[in-house]
Each structure stands twice: as C-alpha cells, then as structure tokens.
C-alpha cells in the first residue's frame, strides 16, 4: 500500500480482529463499483501494557513496515491529546477527546496542520446516553459526524455485528487519510476510556 493509494480513498472499512490480549484492526479499501470491502490498506495494533496509550499502524499484518502511529502525550488523562506521526516520527496531526462536551455525547477534536479544528460528535444523543449509563448496552452501534467550519469532513459509523466494524466516509478531499484512519481506530480503542 502506498500513501497515494490511501489518500485516494473516499470510503474505508475498519474491522477489529477478535483477540484476547491485544486490540488489532484491519483497514480496508472499498471497491467504488460494488461498495464492497476490498484489499487491506493498513493493520493496526494497540501496544500492550504501555505506560502511555500507543497504537502503531503497519502496511499489513506482518508488521514489517510501519505506516503511522498515535501516542498519548500524558500517562492518564481523561482529555489526553494523542499525537499522530508518520513512519519517520514527523507530525501528521493530533486528536483529543473534549471531556466536558463528552459527558452526554462523545466529542473529539482533530487538528491537521494548516487546517482548522475538525470536531466529531456522536449523532444520536440518546444512544450515547444509553451506551454510557447502561453497561449492557455499550455494544450499541454509533455514528460520529466530523465537521470543519460547519462543513462535513468525514463520518465513522459502527455497524452491528460480532466484530466491531466501522464504515468511514471521507467528504473533504484535503484531509490526510492517515489522520482519518488514526481517528477511526481510536474510536474503538479509546472510546470507552
């Protein structure tokens, strides 16, 4: 997978692999003709027992070639900032959970250099409240809409199923897809924290 291939994508599917001790995710392209899942673009693994939350994305599940990663700046913080970097450690952007705004509906803020703030929030407040306050309903699907200056930037929809599966639709062609992929993986890996 090349960066140009990833940047050309308008739709992605992020699928969690079922593993006992580690979070792993596959990021797939979507065939524009059929809308079906196509080839794997990236593979993510959340570092186990890390002092700071950290996820590395690779070009595939052999984990030989890193693509990007994100890591928390702080050790434990409800509003932690996560830096997203490329394979050489150069910044791509960052994201953070807006703790106060997330009390009743999860809200995330992303920043891409040279761009304004991108804000993502759960679309359905009632589903958000149910997932938060009724533990047995935490599996409910959810839909995040991310906007920049009132314009749609991208969306992430958690689908029903045994494995967590997310459909990502990118509306703003200028967005760095690596930042979008990092946020989509983070919604599963970090959402309940």
């Amino acid at each position: 997978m090349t960066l140009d291939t990833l940047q050309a994508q308008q739709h992605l599917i992020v699928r969690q692999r079922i593993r006992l001790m580690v979070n792993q995710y596959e990021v797939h392209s979507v065939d524009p003709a059929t809308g079906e899942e196509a080839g794997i673009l990236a593979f993510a693994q959340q570092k186990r027992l890390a002092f700071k939350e950290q996820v590395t994305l690779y070009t595939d599940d052999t984990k030989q070639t890193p693509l990007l990663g994100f890591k928390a700046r702080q050790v434990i913080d409800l509003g932690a900032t996560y830096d997203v970097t490329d394979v050489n450690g150069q910044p791509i952007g960052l994201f953070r959970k807006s703790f106060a705004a997330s009390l009743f509906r999860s809200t995330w803020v992303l920043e891409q250099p040279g761009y304004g703030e991108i804000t993502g929030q759960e679309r359905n407040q009632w589903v958000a409240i149910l997932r938060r306050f009724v533990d047995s309903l935490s599996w409910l699907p959810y839909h995040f809409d991310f906007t920049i200056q009132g314009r749609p930037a991208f969306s992430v929809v958690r689908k029903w199923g045994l494995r967590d599966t997310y459909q990502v639709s990118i509306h703003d062609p200028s967005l760095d897809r690596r930042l979008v992929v990092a946020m989509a993986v983070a919604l599963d890996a970090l959402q309940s924290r």
Side-chain angles (χ1 to χ4, degrees):
M1 195 271 320
T2 67
L3 186 54
D4 289 338
T5 302
L6 179 60
Q7 194 62 27
Q9 303 302 309
Q10 291 181 309
H11 299 281
L12 302 166
I13 294 175
V14 178
R15 185 179 312 282
Q16 183 180 29
R17 287 185 176 179
I18 298 174
R19 300 290 185 263
L20 290 177
M21 299 299 293
V22 65
N23 284 333
Q24 293 181 335
Y25 304 90
E26 299 170 355
V27 179
H28 293 267
S29 61
V30 174
D31 184 323
T34 65
E36 297 294 318
E37 185 176 303
I40 191 166
L41 295 172
F43 173 80
Q45 181 165 312
Q46 188 173 18
K47 192 170 183 177
R48 295 184 205 189
L49 304 171
F51 190 56
K52 295 180 183 179
E53 287 290 346
Q54 181 175 350
V55 175
T56 303
L57 285 91
Y58 302 90
T59 55
D60 59 35
D61 61 0
T62 64
K63 299 188 281 184
Q64 297 297 311
T65 309
L67 182 62
L68 67 117
F70 61 87
K71 184 176 183 178
R73 288 182 184 174
Q74 302 87 356
V75 177
I76 297 178
D77 184 359
L78 297 175
T81 297
Y82 296 84
D83 292 304
V84 183
T85 56
D86 69 12
V87 66
N88 299 314
Q90 296 302 308
I92 295 170
L94 59 87
F95 59 85
R96 65 184 174 280
K97 192 167 192 176
S98 178
F99 181 70
S102 294
L103 290 177
F104 293 106
R105 187 171 12 185
S106 290
T107 304
W108 291 85
V109 177
L110 286 82
E111 294 180 20
Q112 177 176 313
Y115 233 60
E117 281 190 351
I118 304 162
T119 303
Q121 190 172 54
E122 285 181 270
R123 179 181 286 180
N124 189 318
Q125 185 170 359
W126 297 111
V127 169
I129 290 170
L130 284 172
R131 284 188 324 96
R132 252 175 215 62
F133 297 111
V134 182
D135 283 341
S136 62
L137 296 177
S138 63
W139 54 267
L140 283 172
Y142 52 78
H143 184 138
F144 274 83
D145 291 312
F146 290 82
T147 61
I148 180 166
Q149 300 172 352
R151 297 184 327 268
F154 68 99
S155 61
V156 179
V157 179
R158 181 179 179 191
K159 301 308 248 177
W160 293 91
L162 293 175
R163 296 190 303 172
D164 290 341
T165 302
Y166 301 86
Q167 290 182 335
V168 181
S169 297
I170 303 157
H171 312 293
D172 186 328
S174 300
L175 280 177
D176 190 321
R177 302 315 194 254
R178 297 171 297 176
L179 186 58
V180 172
V181 167
M183 185 74 251
V185 168
L187 284 175
D188 187 271
L190 308 173
Q191 180 62 14
S192 62
R193 290 181 175 79

